[in-house]
Amino acid sequence: MTTLLLLHGLGGDGGLWAPLLAEARWPGPVVDIDLDGHGGRPAPLRPAIGTLAAGVAARELPGDDVVVLGHSLGGAVGVLLATGLYGVRVRRLAIFGVKDDWDPDLVARLHRGADAPARTFATREEALERAALLAGVRGEVEGTPVTRGVAENGDGTWSTGFAPSSNLVAGQRVAALAPALTCPLLVVRGGDDPLVTPAEAAAFGIDPVTIAGAGHHPHLTHPADLWAEVGPFLREGLDA
């Protein structure tokens, strides 16, 4: 059975996929990993989309084939995996919220933050609030879904589990790699996504599917609508 591999966005963790998984009911293995530098995992020596893809490829995954669903940074990582250059056999790739036209001021701000030490917090609640802010989901959904890396440090303080150096991925672009993909691609965009324009979503060379009323995190706010689009695509041609 083909594995469903879920790749989250910058600042998040694999727990962000919970609302979508409640809709998906994938019949085979599901792997909602935390990317390196997220969820308490160490960041690579040189954080980049390529090193994150190499980190995913180095992990043991169930089965030989995967279909990939990636959000934002995770979608960009999925694009690299789907070139076949990392040794992962990707059968189908669906992405949403992937930026391809970065504002230089935003890139500069994120890169400056990459050199900052990881912050600590007096309480778990404060760390959870910060984790939600880093993932860009604070206020989008009830509660705080970014919890995997939030941990007590042994001295009474708490950390989010996000490595600030991960911000160095900002500004990197992958749409030009679309012709090199070895599998079918589906691009989805939230109709109200403030971070990804229709032109950015179309930069991969195919017409994107739009989720009306959704912002940058449709897997949290519109999981049924998102799965209605990506589910049939990811399962097409695969053994049940």
Side-chain angles (χ1 to χ4, degrees):
M1 175 56 66
T2 300
T3 297
L4 172 61
L5 176 61
L6 303 170
L7 302 175
H8 63 79
L10 181 65
D13 63 35
L16 289 169
W17 295 105
L20 185 91
L21 288 176
E23 301 289 339
R25 298 180 180 87
W26 186 258
V30 176
V31 179
D32 55 348
I33 66 170
D34 301 329
L35 295 173
D36 291 345
H38 298 72
R41 291 185 59 87
L45 179 62
R46 294 178 177 85
I49 296 172
T51 54
L52 293 177
V56 173
R59 303 194 206 181
E60 185 175 354
L61 300 174
D64 297 324
D65 297 342
V66 299
V67 296
V68 177
L69 176 59
H71 170 236
S72 196
L73 171 60
V77 171
V79 169
L80 265 67
L81 292 174
T83 63
L85 296 175
Y86 292 83
V88 178
R89 191 159 61 186
V90 179
R91 298 280 298 274
R92 286 182 170 262
L93 171 66
I95 61 175
F96 60 101
V98 179
K99 283 196 66 61
D100 196 64
D101 185 13
W102 288 85
D103 176 69
D105 291 337
L106 173 60
V107 173
R109 188 172 77 248
L110 289 171
H111 283 195
R112 286 194 299 270
D115 294 328
R119 292 177 57 181
T120 58
F121 302 88
T123 66
R124 182 175 186 270
E125 288 69 27
E126 290 176 282
L128 288 170
E129 183 177 4
R130 178 64 177 175
L133 178 65
L134 290 169
V137 300
R138 189 172 70 176
E140 284 212 31
V141 293
E142 185 177 353
T144 304
V146 189
T147 62
R148 289 186 178 177
V150 174
E152 204 271 334
N153 296 315
D155 61 358
T157 64
W158 292 78
S159 297
T160 65
F162 174 72
S165 63
S166 299
N167 285 312
L168 289 173
V169 302
Q172 298 178 8
R173 304 167 67 176
V174 298
L177 295 175
L181 300 189
T182 61
C183 68
L185 171 68
L186 174 69
V187 179
V188 179
R189 175 183 177 269
D192 296 333
D193 189 343
L195 300 180
V196 178
T197 66
E200 284 180 277
F204 290 87
I206 59 177
D207 292 333
V209 173
T210 300
I211 306 295
H216 191 61
H217 301 90
H219 53 320
L220 293 174
T221 61
H222 296 67
D225 295 335
L226 177 61
W227 187 252
E229 299 294 345
V230 303
F233 169 81
L234 292 173
R235 292 191 62 170
E236 185 177 346
L238 302 181
D239 294 335

